[in-house]
Amino acid sequence: MKKKYIITTALITTVLSLCVFFSFLDSSQSEKTTVSMDTVVTVKVKGKNSDEAAGEILDIVKTLDSKYLSRFSEKSMTGILNREKTVTDSELAGFLLPLISLSEKSNGRFDFTLSPLSDLWSFTSDPRIPKDSEIKAALQNTGYKNVVLNGDTVTITDENVSVDFGSAGKGIALDKIREYCDKKSSIKRVVASVGGSILCRGKGTFTVGIKKPGSPGGEILAALTLKECCVSTSGSYERFFEEDGRIYHHILDPKTGYPVDNGLVSTTLVGESGILSDALATACFAAGIEKGAALAAEYNFDAVFVDNQNTVYITPNLRNSITVSDGYSLVVV
Amino acid sequence: MKIFKKSDIILIFAVLFVAGIIFAISSLEKGPPVAHIIVGGEEYKAVNLVDIPEKQVFILETHPETIIVCEKGCAYFSSAGCPDKICVKTGRLTKKGDTAVCLPAGVVLTIEGGEYDAVTY
Amino acid sequence: MKKNLVYKTALCAMMCALTVAIGFLENLIPEMPFLPPGAKPGFSNIIIMFACEALSGAYVAAVVLTKVLFAFVTRGATAAIMSLSGGVISAFVMFLLLRKGKNKAGIAGVSVTGALCHNLGQLAAAAFISATLKIVYYLPALLVFAVLTGVVNGIIAGAVLPPLKRINNTFEQEE
């Protein structure tokens, strides 16, 4: 009797420990980082073969950029479109459809054809304040209405107008990553950051912090507890320069050609679609708190607006999901 | 003598329960993961692992000598002059509570602050 | 009387040798990825348990000190201090449990308690040496590991100790 008892217990313990051991082997976690789309892309994957999956996800982002979105490449779909002024591609058309729709819904506050303007300000290389006349001239070469969709065919009707995915590309990458993850059942949990646009996918809750402008130490001004979603932020602190005491940032008003000046420092959008989170972040920043909140609601998105007085405005649904850091006050719009 | 008495089972579960509680409590606090290097009981350096642009290497003048590396998302002992090298074998520390210690050198490397899933900017 | 002393000394020496051999073998175990580094199965606790039942406290202390000396010679002063702090407390507690509290715990319970005391003793020493309390972060993993090894050692002891005790009793009676 005693012997049997000992043997059975020993066997059970061995089996249990082997199970624990093997489960650790499988549910591994991997984190990989790369530079693409002119920004830092990081992905954290939890699940079987997480290392392989993380690598494949980064490849997807790189391919997306080189094959479709980069406007600096001659071979990408965007490059071809901007050069030939017409291209037939279902993916590209698929990206542009919601952007055109958003441009209309936001009354032109969101516009994806502003490259002549942003190149003028050249935030990424040698920023300068352009002359009024230069701005007016550049504005002539912008306008989303010049981009027409006919099924899968995209046509730009004005020769000087070009398409720029700068304010939506990161979101598109999130959607592509989500597509990939949904196909792989071995992936249990994914958090991807494409230049600050975040994709959370998997069971349970995720904690996403909103970066405090100008903080080198990764400090946050608020933390959001969310279920799986896409989160994107537009901030005036990302790319800007200062001259004569004034701050000029990269989020331009498509109507005036000058940086949006409404006291906002950042907008963060939370919702299902990646491309919309990215585009809406820019659109809502330009629209301001009231109109921005309404716009977000139309798309079933939640929004966070932060102004230069350290006040954080949120749409009602986020009331129980947000914690603001010291020094910030919370207002529900 | 019997192998498992009732009191034994109670003891085992009580210990596991306590371990679970300690673990849960220590995992709660949120904040960016910060690596703390403690030498001889005093904090030598605190490194924020979220916003770290490139690898940072710390060569500590301890006896035996220890070298700690901090990079994006993790910190670890890259080498140590002690005989056991348990500190090095601990590997990469990534989340709050992860700790590696080199006792002969008197160095503790630990991650504090919670783990955000991500920061949006 | 003399024979008894000779017998006990020989038995103690054998225990010491076994402890050293086990210590040597345990040092060879490679680091498993998910285990706290430096964690050992602690089979020598089985030897200590037997010593507690078959020999008096002084002999048990001798076995423990042999373990410490072996650690000092092979792995250095720090390892010796770790072994000393953990070994003394766990041997002491197991001695009490086995000799005085015989009906209160089964072998697994004694083994788990011994493992716990060993780990806690080591943790206290480590905190003292590194002059910081941050080591406490190791607690949950250590506790779980102590329980695991304690149970496994307890089961092995349950199989190995009774026949050993029987043999010991036979020898002891052969005065």
Side-chain angles (χ1 to χ4, degrees):
Chain A
M1 240 293 280
K2 237 187 186 179
K3 241 191 190 168
K4 268 196 210 165
Y5 183 63
I6 296 175
I7 295 181
T8 351
T9 329
L11 273 173
I12 296 179
T13 318
T14 323
V15 169
L16 280 178
S17 13
L18 280 176
C19 288
V20 170
F21 180 65
F22 282 114
S23 72
F24 269 103
L25 280 184
D26 266 356
S27 107
S28 47
Q29 205 168 346
S30 297
E31 178 171 338
K32 285 196 190 215
T33 306
T34 189
V35 174
S36 182
M37 291 186 166
D38 203 21
T39 187
V40 178
V41 182
T42 309
V43 64
K44 291 193 269 195
V45 181
K46 221 187 223 174
K48 244 190 224 182
N49 298 326
S50 59
D51 210 60
E52 202 187 306
E56 285 180 3
I57 288 176
L58 291 185
D59 285 338
I60 288 176
V61 177
K62 287 196 191 147
T63 312
L64 180 67
D65 193 32
S66 61
K67 259 184 147 182
Y68 289 99
L69 302 182
S70 168
R71 67 178 173 101
F72 302 109
S73 154
E74 290 182 351
K75 294 195 211 144
S76 71
M77 281 295 152
T78 303
I80 297 177
L81 172 63
N82 288 338
R83 195 177 56 240
E84 317 278 324
K85 298 306 172 196
T86 184
V87 96
T88 303
D89 182 84
S90 59
E91 287 273 13
L92 196 69
F95 299 152
L96 286 171
L97 186 57
L99 297 184
I100 296 176
S101 159
L102 177 59
S103 300
E104 277 169 8
K105 270 212 180 121
S106 68
N107 286 325
R109 282 206 181 81
F110 175 79
D111 199 313
F112 52 93
T113 61
L114 302 181
S115 36
L117 200 56
S118 41
D119 285 346
L120 201 56
W121 288 88
S122 65
F123 285 99
T124 44
S125 41
D126 202 11
R128 52 181 278 269
I129 305 179
K131 292 189 254 205
D132 253 355
S133 52
E134 289 178 302
I135 293 191
K136 285 210 169 72
L139 276 175
Q140 297 285 341
N141 299 331
T142 63
Y144 70 91
K145 298 197 179 169
N146 294 296
V147 181
V148 178
L149 276 189
N150 205 336
D152 284 346
T153 306
V154 187
T155 313
I156 305 182
T157 55
D158 184 325
E159 204 189 46
N160 297 315
V161 172
S162 50
V163 167
D164 177 8
F165 281 102
S167 44
K170 299 184 287 198
I172 298 177
L174 297 185
D175 289 329
K176 288 292 168 199
I177 298 177
R178 189 183 52 237
E179 258 176 53
Y180 169 87
C181 293
D182 287 351
K183 281 191 229 149
K184 287 230 161 185
S185 56
S186 56
I187 295 182
K188 290 194 197 151
R189 195 171 156 102
V190 170
V191 175
S193 166
V194 179
S197 284
I198 315 287
L199 167 73
C200 297
R201 195 87 180 141
K203 276 195 222 157
T205 54
F206 298 80
T207 310
V208 177
I210 301 179
K211 181 169 172 178
K212 211 187 245 191
S215 127
E219 286 170 59
I220 58 167
L221 55 86
L224 293 161
T225 315
L226 309 162
K227 295 239 172 95
E228 52 184 19
C229 59
C230 287
V231 182
S232 289
T233 300
S234 262
S236 60
Y237 55 86
E238 283 171 58
R239 292 192 222 258
F240 69 98
F241 66 92
E242 202 179 316
E243 204 168 292
D244 294 335
R246 278 200 68 187
I247 301 226
Y248 299 88
H249 62 83
H250 74 300
I251 304 176
L252 305 169
D253 185 334
K255 308 246 162 94
T256 67
Y258 283 91
V260 171
D261 189 14
N262 54 12
L264 281 180
V265 152
S266 84
T267 52
T268 301
L269 274 284
V270 180
E272 200 186 313
S273 153
I275 184 175
L276 284 177
S277 73
D278 201 1
L280 272 171
T282 309
C284 293
F285 189 101
I289 300 178
E290 233 181 274
K291 296 213 172 92
L295 187 61
E298 264 189 76
Y299 280 94
N300 231 337
F301 264 73
D302 292 314
V304 181
F305 302 83
V306 184
D307 70 9
N308 52 19
Q309 308 295 314
N310 288 357
T311 313
V312 178
Y313 303 83
I314 56 169
T315 51
N317 282 341
L318 293 178
R319 199 196 310 251
N320 296 325
S321 322
I322 192 169
T323 328
V324 274
S325 310
D326 282 336
Y328 286 85
S329 44
L330 187 63
V331 173
V332 182
V333 290
Chain B
M1 202 199 293
K2 245 182 145 184
I3 299 188
F4 284 105
K5 283 221 177 119
K6 208 195 271 184
S7 52
D8 297 355
I9 311 279
I10 298 178
L11 170 71
I12 293 175
F13 279 107
V15 173
L16 290 178
F17 184 65
V18 168
I21 300 229
I22 298 180
F23 184 69
I25 296 179
S26 64
S27 309
L28 274 182
E29 188 194 302
K30 295 284 180 193
V34 175
H36 292 265
I37 303 177
I38 300 162
V39 181
E42 282 183 21
E43 177 146 312
Y44 166 77
K45 203 103 171 91
V47 184
N48 187 308
L49 298 178
V50 171
D51 235 347
I52 183 173
E54 46 182 24
K55 248 194 224 189
Q56 284 183 30
V57 180
F58 299 95
I59 304 179
L60 302 174
E61 285 166 23
T62 50
H63 302 290
E65 187 187 83
T66 47
I67 302 184
I68 293 181
V69 174
C70 291
E71 41 184 55
K72 197 171 179 62
C74 71
Y76 54 94
F77 279 88
S78 72
S79 84
C82 54
D84 279 338
K85 302 211 198 297
I86 293 184
C87 50
V88 181
K89 285 188 197 167
T90 310
R92 291 168 174 239
L93 311 178
T94 55
K95 43 191 201 308
K96 174 174 162 43
D98 282 357
T99 308
V101 182
C102 183
L103 279 177
V107 180
V108 175
L109 174 65
T110 179
I111 311 277
E112 282 192 20
E115 187 190 57
Y116 292 137
D117 285 299
V119 174
T120 178
Y121 56 89
Chain C
M1 272 301 285
K2 238 191 184 174
K3 251 191 188 169
N4 210 349
L5 184 59
V6 168
Y7 172 72
K8 286 206 166 157
T9 314
L11 185 62
C12 178
M14 209 161 61
M15 299 289 105
C16 293
L18 268 174
T19 306
V20 169
I22 289 180
F24 177 72
L25 289 173
E26 285 187 340
N27 278 347
L28 296 177
I29 297 178
E31 298 294 334
M32 297 277 125
F34 53 88
L35 286 180
K40 301 280 187 291
F43 293 127
S44 35
N45 273 352
I46 303 175
I47 311 283
I48 305 280
M49 280 195 281
F50 176 67
C52 288
E53 296 212 296
L55 299 165
S56 67
Y59 290 107
V60 175
V63 180
V64 173
L65 287 175
T66 314
K67 217 175 21 147
V68 174
L69 204 62
F70 179 66
F72 180 68
V73 164
T74 50
R75 286 158 49 211
T78 326
I81 297 180
M82 293 282 96
S83 187
L84 182 67
S85 53
V88 166
I89 298 185
S90 93
F92 184 66
V93 168
M94 286 199 288
F95 187 80
L96 285 179
L97 273 179
L98 286 169
R99 291 273 185 153
K100 317 281 177 174
K102 212 163 191 170
N103 290 321
K104 294 202 181 139
I107 299 189
V110 176
S111 177
V112 169
T113 316
L116 277 175
C117 293
H118 196 109
N119 283 344
L120 290 175
Q122 287 184 317
L123 202 63
F128 183 71
I129 295 182
S130 55
T132 167
L133 289 177
K134 308 240 174 184
I135 306 241
V136 158
Y137 282 125
Y138 272 136
L139 251 187
L142 274 186
L143 289 180
V144 172
F145 195 68
V147 165
L148 234 97
T149 51
V151 166
V152 169
N153 283 339
I155 294 177
I156 299 178
V160 152
L161 288 191
L164 274 182
K165 279 195 273 186
R166 251 177 280 134
I167 298 176
N168 187 37
N169 284 341
T170 327
F171 271 116
E172 271 196 311
Q173 272 156 25
E174 267 180 31
E175 286 286 80

